[in-house]
Amino acid sequence: SAVISQKPSRDICQRGTSLTIQCQVDSQVTMMFWYRQQPGQSLTLIATANQGSEATYESGFVIDKFPISRPNLTFSTLTVSNMSPEDSSIYLCSVEDFKPLGTEAFFGQGTRLTVV
Amino acid sequence: DAKTTQPNSMESNEEEPVHLPCNHSTISGTDYIHWYRQLPSQGPEYVIHGLTSNVNNRMASLAIAEDRKSSTLILHRATLRDAAVYYCILSYGQNFVFGPGTRLSVLP
């Protein structure tokens, strides 16, 4: 299993500013995933972050708005740039453990972002 | 990614069994059936997964139809702590695609 720590757990930010969310895993992993969960909604994948390469973004998400860093195999950051109230969501970091009998995903507790 | 269909919400009484259904008629031969749940103010957590055979673990049981086009997550004795959104997900390898899930309410 993997234990994931996210910081901050919550924040209230002014529109137009940026927030960087940190994700720390207690073991080395190849891929890390960032999700967004808008109020009352399910999770939507933002991007996949591999160490040593550019993150791969899903449709509707762009690097200028959500830049991601992946400096090593246990750490990643997601920045929410030039925030607007529509960015108010929970942002979650995830890793996956690939096993012969199926993959298991582990999630952080999430970062609850409110933009005012 | 193959799509799943779940009821929006279900209710159960405490201490009673709960059967959460999931339809996945377009499942491919290599897709595993995963169940995750999200408790209030927490990230999703793994419940159970399977490929073809029924599966049991300490949290739940997973019953998979013979044609694999549907499955049922079984909580044998619901507790108040089991109140959560339950997600049925099909995946082979990476990229878990979350649908709306089923919001389970447990009544004391």
Side-chain angles (χ1 to χ4, degrees):
Chain A
S1 65
V3 177
I4 300 174
S5 302
Q6 272 187 247
K7 292 180 181 179
S9 58
R10 58 177 61 228
D11 207 342
I12 301 173
C13 300
Q14 296 290 324
R15 67 179 67 198
T17 63
S18 298
L19 176 71
T20 295
I21 302 167
Q22 299 180 2
C23 178
Q24 179 76 51
V25 188
D26 68 343
S27 58
Q28 294 186 338
V29 293
T30 303
M31 290 188 287
M32 297 177 75
F33 304 87
W34 287 97
Y35 289 83
R36 180 177 72 182
Q37 188 170 28
Q38 295 177 300
Q41 303 295 313
S42 186
L43 283 74
T44 301
L45 182 65
I46 297 172
T48 303
N50 291 329
Q51 193 265 337
S53 64
E54 292 262 335
T56 303
Y57 290 83
E58 297 298 305
S59 175
F61 298 96
V62 295
I63 188 171
D64 289 345
K65 177 67 177 177
F66 298 101
I68 289 170
S69 79
R70 183 78 204 275
N72 58 52
L73 291 173
T74 63
F75 187 79
S76 178
T77 66
L78 170 76
T79 298
V80 186
S81 304
N82 188 25
M83 290 183 285
S84 67
E86 292 70 37
D87 295 320
S88 297
S89 295
I90 299 172
Y91 293 86
L92 297 117
C93 172
S94 170
V95 301
E96 294 178 359
D97 184 9
F98 300 98
K99 300 176 181 177
L101 297 180
T103 300
E104 182 175 343
F106 301 89
F107 291 83
Q109 296 284 65
T111 296
R112 183 179 294 271
L113 170 62
T114 303
V115 183
V116 297
Chain B
D1 295 291
K3 185 176 177 179
T4 62
T5 304
Q6 300 176 250
N8 290 333
S9 62
M10 291 185 64
E11 249 182 29
S12 172
N13 293 317
E14 199 176 8
E15 305 286 319
E16 290 186 356
V18 182
H19 290 232
L20 297 166
C22 181
N23 287 318
H24 30 78
S25 58
T26 60
I27 189 170
S28 73
T30 54
D31 281 331
Y32 283 82
I33 302 161
H34 300 259
W35 283 83
Y36 283 76
R37 72 179 185 182
Q38 188 172 22
L39 302 172
S41 301
Q42 294 192 25
E45 64 177 4
Y46 170 83
V47 178
I48 200 166
H49 79 281
L51 184 62
T52 56
S53 304
N54 294 343
V55 185
N56 299 295
N57 66 22
R58 63 176 181 80
M59 289 182 69
S61 296
L62 176 60
I64 301 172
E66 195 169 335
D67 63 5
R68 301 210 326 127
K69 293 185 176 181
S70 66
S71 60
T72 302
L73 178 69
I74 303 166
L75 306 180
H76 296 286
R77 288 180 63 207
T79 69
L80 297 177
R81 193 194 173 276
D82 291 322
V85 178
Y86 286 78
Y87 299 100
C88 171
I89 304 165
L90 303 182
S91 182
Y92 176 71
Q94 66 197 56
N95 276 12
F96 283 70
V97 179
F98 285 78
T102 296
R103 181 173 297 277
L104 175 66
S105 302
V106 180
L107 306 177

